[in-house]
Amino acid sequence: MQHYLNYIDGQWRDASRQLTVMNPGTGEPYATIAQAGIEDADLAMAAARRCVDCGALTEVRPAIRTGWLLKAAEAIRAIADDGALVACRENGKSLNDARDEFLEAARYFEYYAGMADKIEGISVPLGKDYVDFTQYVPFGVSVQIVPWNFPVSICARSLAPALAAGNAVVIKSPEISPLAMTLLVRAVEQAGFPRGAVNLLCGKGSEVGSHLVKHPDTNQIVFTGSVPTGQRILRDSAERATPSVMELGGKSAAIVLADVDLDTLLASVKVGIFFNAGQVCSAMSRLLVHRSRYDEVKAAVVALAEGLSIGQGEGNPDLTPVVSADQQQRVLAMVEQARAEGARVLTGGVAPDLSGYFVAPTVIEATPDMTIAREEVFGPVLVLMPFDDEDEAVALANGTDFGLVAGVFGEGLSQTLRLANRLRGGQVFINEWFAGGIETPFGGVGLSGFGREKGQEAIYSYVQTRNIGIRLSNR
């Protein structure tokens, strides 16, 4: 098996311990990676601090950072095919989706390269005796904790704007799927960033992640992951009042109106809940359907689910395995709990007779009070519920503690937009789930977190405003 390393202070380093990474498609070991410990974390933080304090990222003309970011993007594109195979085998996702993840990572670097030299302050008028202006200055050392579902893309989503703004970064990769991220960082290494600007650690969250969050040199925290982990990080970061960007979970609903175009809806259902085996924080996990179309939509969605191809990611099937045996059992346990609470499993809800960690595409009828309709599953499980009028639809959609994304499907512009304006969430899709892209701000409210990634707005999550006021002399 191939063995992967951590990247600290411009060098690839092994460790005395290692983690075994499984192939979710086969359930067999795929590779090993050096398991970072506290000493490694301290070395990475010291390297990042030196990079910040010497001004290697901030004393150069910002256009230099633009050049580094563009070189990184080019290098990432060059290794997309090789990286895709690694990501497919360690994560279970389809080969095509894994390749797209690397290409998306390259786009993040290209996009924020265009902003590195445009982070501009303002002049504040205070009268003839004063000159007053603002500057956007980087936080310093950004600690970024990356989840396992889209590690390459989500790493780039935070890393690129942080570097564009002039921060040094220490990344904690997910223990389950850390390998493709090492290829990403190898590509970034070729761009010429100063030593210590980028550091990559694979270690246990309870050990290395917690240590990084509490570290006195941490100036900012970026976390994407589960609500309980995010809450622990916030409690730990409160000790030093460390600024944080939190992108947590979701239980997002799509409202299906009476005039919906069924083909448009089904295309979004397929990608909304079954893409990446439903392991998407912004997945379409609830489908709220006007009662006049409920039976028709239900039959069509069940037929869609039952018609999906299932298999290992290298064959590019419609549905791939979930990431681990633990995740498979968690999803299946939530389906069984739904049955026990009286929900009706219309299709799926079982593990297919395949090697690896598969969950059959699942559609469930439930009521709003059931656990399956309120808590995040993070698997290929769609909950169906009917509604009678707009007020009921909005109440159902907004009736959880989450607020990441939402959607509306219907042909009338006035009605769809009216409903979109009433939905609780950081992003609302109309007639296409996942509409938007790198250019559109992304983030949640409530238990879905705070702060925004993606788009121009995200760059301001990586800087703080400094005001300088000058009293002019009369002489």
Side-chain angles (χ1 to χ4, degrees):
M1 286 190 295
Q2 187 168 348
H3 183 64
Y4 293 75
L5 307 177
N6 295 301
Y7 186 66
I8 302 171
D9 198 14
Q11 296 182 330
W12 292 94
R13 297 172 57 99
D14 206 347
S16 59
R17 298 176 294 172
Q18 65 182 33
L19 295 166
T20 299
V21 178
M22 307 295 287
N23 181 333
T26 63
E28 298 176 350
Y30 170 56
T32 59
I33 188 167
Q35 180 181 343
I38 300 298
E39 181 181 351
D40 300 301
D42 286 340
L43 289 172
M45 290 299 293
R49 175 52 57 196
R50 285 196 304 273
C51 182
V52 168
D53 289 349
C54 77
L57 285 165
T58 53
E59 292 182 4
V60 298
R61 197 178 183 102
I64 300 298
R65 296 200 299 272
T66 292
W68 291 332
L69 289 158
L70 290 174
K71 288 178 182 177
E74 184 179 3
I76 294 167
R77 288 187 183 278
I79 54 97
D81 287 340
D82 292 339
L85 188 59
V86 174
C88 169
R89 290 177 176 172
E90 71 165 332
N91 197 283
K93 62 185 60 188
S94 78
L95 192 59
N96 286 343
D97 291 341
R99 183 181 296 107
D100 286 345
E101 192 172 337
F102 273 89
L103 297 179
E104 184 174 72
R107 273 292 296 135
Y108 278 117
F109 278 83
E110 290 168 348
Y111 184 85
Y112 289 107
M115 293 196 68
D117 58 354
K118 301 174 185 67
I119 308 172
E120 301 169 346
I122 62 169
S123 173
V124 181
L126 293 179
K128 69 180 182 67
D129 294 329
Y130 295 90
V131 173
D132 190 279
F133 60 94
T134 64
Q135 300 172 326
Y136 287 118
V137 297
F139 281 107
V141 177
S142 176
V143 166
Q144 303 183 354
I145 301 175
V146 177
W148 49 257
N149 56 338
F150 297 99
V152 170
S153 174
I154 291 177
C155 177
R157 187 178 78 184
S158 303
L159 177 60
L163 292 171
N167 298 277
V169 183
V170 177
I171 308 159
K172 211 291 283 182
S173 62
E175 305 98 294
I176 297 176
S177 56
L179 308 180
M181 286 179 62
T182 66
L183 276 74
L184 174 73
V185 171
R186 283 192 182 276
V188 173
E189 182 185 22
Q190 298 176 36
F193 285 100
R195 183 169 172 173
V198 179
N199 303 270
L200 176 66
L201 304 169
C202 181
K204 294 288 187 180
S206 57
E207 179 187 7
V208 170
S210 179
H211 183 71
L212 292 173
V213 166
K214 298 175 184 176
H215 201 283
D217 280 326
T218 297
N219 302 124
Q220 184 213 28
I221 299 165
V222 183
F223 172 75
T224 301
S226 71
V227 171
T229 303
Q231 290 170 328
R232 285 196 297 273
I233 290 172
L234 287 172
R235 284 191 289 269
D236 289 341
S237 65
E239 185 69 26
R240 303 182 63 83
T242 307
S244 303
V245 176
M246 290 278 145
E247 199 265 278
L248 307 179
K251 191 66 179 176
S252 303
I255 295 174
V256 180
L257 300 172
D259 63 349
V260 68
D261 179 86
L262 188 58
D263 290 338
T264 297
L265 173 66
L266 292 177
S268 277
V269 170
K270 183 177 180 180
V271 69
I273 189 60
F274 300 123
F275 167 61
N276 204 44
Q279 300 167 123
V280 184
C281 54
S282 53
M284 181 200 289
S285 51
R286 293 182 293 151
L287 198 64
L288 315 178
V289 185
H290 191 274
R291 197 174 297 276
S292 67
R293 301 289 297 275
Y294 184 73
D295 289 339
E296 176 191 7
V297 170
K298 177 171 69 173
V301 168
V302 169
L304 169 68
E306 292 178 345
L308 296 176
S309 60
I310 305 174
Q312 295 182 23
E314 288 173 65
N316 291 310
D318 297 319
L319 191 80
T320 50
V322 296
V323 75
S324 67
D326 286 347
Q327 187 65 15
Q328 179 194 46
Q329 292 307 308
R330 180 182 181 278
V331 172
L332 294 174
M334 291 192 71
V335 173
E336 288 308 307
Q337 182 179 6
R339 281 194 176 101
E341 292 180 12
R344 183 183 176 203
V345 179
L346 302 176
T347 189
V350 297
D353 188 18
L354 297 167
S355 62
Y357 313 129
F358 291 88
V359 176
T362 303
V363 182
I364 297 177
E365 278 187 311
T367 56
D369 58 310
M370 294 178 180
T371 304
I372 200 74
R374 303 185 66 82
E375 294 186 6
E376 187 174 38
V377 178
F378 225 62
V381 178
L382 177 66
V383 173
L384 284 177
M385 290 183 283
F387 69 86
D388 291 301
D389 55 43
E390 287 187 16
D391 289 342
E392 183 184 10
V394 171
L396 289 171
N398 292 344
T400 75
D401 292 328
F402 296 101
L404 189 54
V405 305
V408 186
F409 289 82
E411 292 298 285
L413 176 61
S414 295
Q415 187 181 21
T416 55
L417 190 55
R418 180 171 65 244
L419 281 169
N421 284 327
R422 298 178 64 188
L423 293 175
R424 181 171 179 260
Q427 193 171 33
V428 180
F429 308 122
I430 296 179
N431 287 332
E432 181 182 282
W433 203 262
F434 300 135
I438 287 171
E439 303 87 352
T440 53
F442 176 72
V445 298
L447 285 186
S448 291
F450 51 84
R452 292 294 179 266
E453 297 276 29
K454 303 169 66 172
Q456 294 186 34
E457 188 172 340
I459 199 78
Y460 299 102
S461 295
Y462 296 90
V463 294
Q464 49 196 333
T465 303
R466 177 164 61 202
N467 179 261
I468 296 180
I470 305 170
R471 176 69 160 88
L472 299 177
S473 172
N474 292 323
R475 291 185 295 171

